[in-house]
Amino acid sequence: MIEDKNPQRTPVENLGEFGLIDFITKNFEISHSSTVTGIGDDAAVLNHSKSTVVTTDMLVEGVHFDLSYAPLKHLGYKAIMVNLSDVYAMNAVATQVTVSIAISNRFPVEAVKELYEGIEMACKTYNVDLIGGDTTASRSGLVISVTAIGEQDAEKIVRRKGASDGDLLVVSGDIGAAYMGLQILEREKAVFKANPQNQPDIDAYSYLLERQLKPEARKDIPKLLEELDVLPTSMIDLSDGLSSEIIHLCKHSDVGITIYEDKIPLDPTVITACEEFNLDSTTIALSGGEDYELLFTVKQEDFPKIKANPSLSIIGHVVDASLGTNLVTRGGEQIPIRAMGWNSFQE
Ligand code: ADP
Ligand code: MG
C-alpha cells in the first residue's frame, strides 16, 4: 500500500514553474459560458447571470491527509469534492474552481501529474472549469487550496439560517463511513509499519475506504430537490460530523433540533466495522465527519414529496431554541447532542 509504484522521478526544476503550470493545466477544457477567460492571464474573467457563491478550503499534509495511504489522484479528487460540497450546500450549481498548490522539492513532476489527474477527473465528472491557481514551493509538505465558485438564482440560495419550529430535518445518503474508512487505513498503516511484508486485508471495507479516500459531493441533491419542487429552509454540508453541523444549523437559525437514533442512516459495513473496532455506531455517525452529505430542513408540508426517496432520510425535526439539540435513543431516552462530541471516543 505504501510502496512507491511510480519510480520515475523528474525534479520540478527540470520544467521550471511556468513549464510545470503548462504541463499540469494543458488537459483542462472550459465548458461553461460564464467562464470568459480561464487560465493564462493575470486573472480569470467570469460572467454569471445569477448570484455567485464562492467558497475556499485548504488541505494540509499531516493535518488533513497522510500521503502514506492517500493516493495522490484520490487526494486531488477529494480536494475538489470538499469544495464543491460547500457550493451544493448553498443549493447552487458549481461552475468554476481555482487550485493552488505548495509543493516540497521531494515532490517530483510525476506526483504533481497524478494529483492533477484526480483534479481533472473531478472537474470533468462534476462539470466545473479549472480557471486558475497558484504554484509555489513548500518547506513542510504538500498544501492544496481550492476555491470553488457557483451560481444560483438569489431566491433559491439556501443558507444555514432559515430553519423554523416544526420543519423536518433531512440528511442525504448514509453517514459514518468516511470515519470508519480512516480507522481502517490507520490500522493497516500500523500493521504495515510493524511488518512491511504484511498484505493489507481491506477488501471487505472497500465502501468505507472509498468514502474516506474518494468522497463524492452531492451534486445530485440540489437537482433532486428542484425536481421535487422542494426548497430547503436551511442547509449545511456534513464535513465535521452530524452533531456539530446540527449545532451550526441551530445556532444560525436560532432553533433547537431533536433527532432519533433509529432514523440515522448507516451503511451495514459501518455497523460491522464499528463492532470490530468496539465503537458505538451512533457516536461515529454523530461525530465522525468527512461524509460530505447534505443536511437540510424542509417545511412539514413537503413531507409527502421526500418521504419515499431512497437518497433522503428524515432523521428529526426542528423545535424551539429553548429545547436545545437532543438525540432520542432507541430506548426512548433523550440525550443532549452537545455532550456527544468528538472527545467522547478519543480516549
Ligand atoms: P501570476 O504570476 O500573474 O500570478 P502565474 O504565473 O502564477 O501568474 O500563473 C499563470 C496562470 O496559470 C494563471 O492563470 C494562474 O491562475 C494559472 N495557474 C498557476 N498555478 C496554477 C495551478 N497550480 N493550477 C491551475 N492554474 C494555475
Ligand atoms: Mg501567481
Side-chain angles (χ1 to χ4, degrees):
M1 178 156 68
I2 301 169
E3 85 198 291
D4 187 359
K5 295 195 196 80
N6 196 349
Q8 203 186 339
R9 295 176 69 86
T10 312
V12 164
E13 299 91 84
N14 287 16
L15 290 181
E17 185 190 333
F18 301 122
L20 181 70
I21 294 170
D22 278 350
F23 177 71
I24 59 185
T25 59
K26 64 173 188 271
N27 292 327
F28 286 82
E29 282 164 18
I30 297 300
S31 63
H32 285 276
S33 57
S34 58
T35 307
V36 181
T37 303
I39 290 170
D41 217 309
D42 294 312
V45 181
L46 305 181
N47 187 12
H48 285 136
S49 53
K50 303 177 176 183
S51 291
T52 303
V53 303
V54 181
T55 176
T56 297
D57 253 304
M58 194 176 331
L59 296 183
V60 178
E61 184 176 350
V63 178
H64 302 101
F65 59 88
D66 182 334
L67 281 181
S68 63
Y69 53 63
L72 283 163
K73 198 169 167 180
H74 289 61
L75 187 60
Y77 194 89
K78 181 169 177 174
I80 302 295
M81 287 310 120
V82 169
N83 281 274
L84 297 188
S85 180
D86 282 317
V87 173
Y88 302 140
M90 301 301 288
N91 201 37
V93 173
T95 46
Q96 288 90 9
V97 288
T98 67
V99 176
S100 298
I101 54 170
I103 47 175
S104 69
N105 54 12
R106 73 182 163 83
F107 221 66
V109 171
E110 288 76 11
V112 184
K113 181 168 181 269
E114 243 184 89
L115 181 72
Y116 269 77
E117 279 167 3
I119 292 170
E120 191 188 341
M121 190 198 271
C123 288
K124 280 214 172 102
T125 310
Y126 283 76
N127 190 28
V128 295
D129 295 343
L130 177 71
I131 55 158
D134 200 18
T135 309
T136 180
S138 160
R139 289 190 211 291
S140 58
L142 175 63
V143 178
I144 310 167
S145 174
V146 176
T147 296
I149 297 161
E151 63 176 332
Q152 180 57 289
D153 294 326
E155 65 278 11
K156 289 187 186 161
I157 288 178
V158 179
R159 296 172 170 82
R160 295 178 179 188
K161 180 187 165 80
S164 59
D165 202 347
D167 287 357
L168 303 172
L169 182 70
V170 185
V171 67
S172 64
D174 57 74
I175 58 180
Y179 181 82
M180 291 316 294
L182 184 62
Q183 296 314 297
I184 286 152
L185 288 165
E186 296 278 3
R187 181 178 71 184
E188 293 309 320
K189 184 184 171 184
V191 169
F192 184 90
K193 263 191 181 157
N195 180 7
Q197 304 310 320
N198 232 323
Q199 280 302 309
D201 175 23
I202 51 178
D203 282 358
Y205 303 115
S206 54
Y207 178 66
L208 305 180
L209 297 179
E210 206 172 302
R211 294 283 283 174
Q212 168 59 224
L213 294 173
K214 190 174 171 284
E216 303 290 347
R218 297 306 303 254
K219 179 186 184 184
D220 56 320
I221 298 295
K223 191 165 164 273
L224 172 70
L225 292 172
E226 171 104 71
E227 284 162 13
L228 296 172
D229 192 29
V230 172
L231 185 66
T233 52
S234 70
M235 183 148 63
I236 191 166
D237 74 320
L238 290 179
S239 48
D240 289 341
L242 183 61
S243 60
S244 58
E245 311 301 8
I246 284 176
I247 289 164
H248 283 312
L249 276 190
C250 287
K251 194 176 142 221
H252 286 263
S253 294
D254 194 23
V255 293
I257 278 178
T258 302
I259 64 166
Y260 297 86
E261 186 177 23
D262 61 346
K263 305 282 188 218
I264 298 174
L266 299 175
D267 188 82
T269 52
V270 170
I271 296 167
T272 314
C274 282
E275 280 166 5
E276 195 179 320
F277 281 79
N278 205 13
L279 293 168
D280 173 55
S281 57
T282 302
T283 310
I284 297 309
L286 284 169
S287 312
E290 292 200 286
D291 290 312
Y292 301 109
E293 294 295 341
L294 295 177
L295 178 73
F296 55 93
T297 53
V298 300
K299 290 259 159 268
Q300 240 177 57
E301 69 211 39
D302 288 328
F303 174 71
K305 296 181 190 167
I306 55 170
K307 65 172 183 197
N309 200 289
S311 305
L312 306 175
S313 304
I314 301 168
I315 59 168
H317 54 86
V318 178
V319 295
D320 191 82
S322 63
L323 298 174
T325 49
N326 294 284
L327 170 81
V328 176
T329 66
R330 285 192 188 84
E333 203 188 335
Q334 188 155 311
I335 304 174
I337 287 178
R338 225 166 285 269
M340 302 190 67
W342 184 262
N343 289 331
S344 61
F345 63 98
Q346 282 293 294
E347 292 101 81

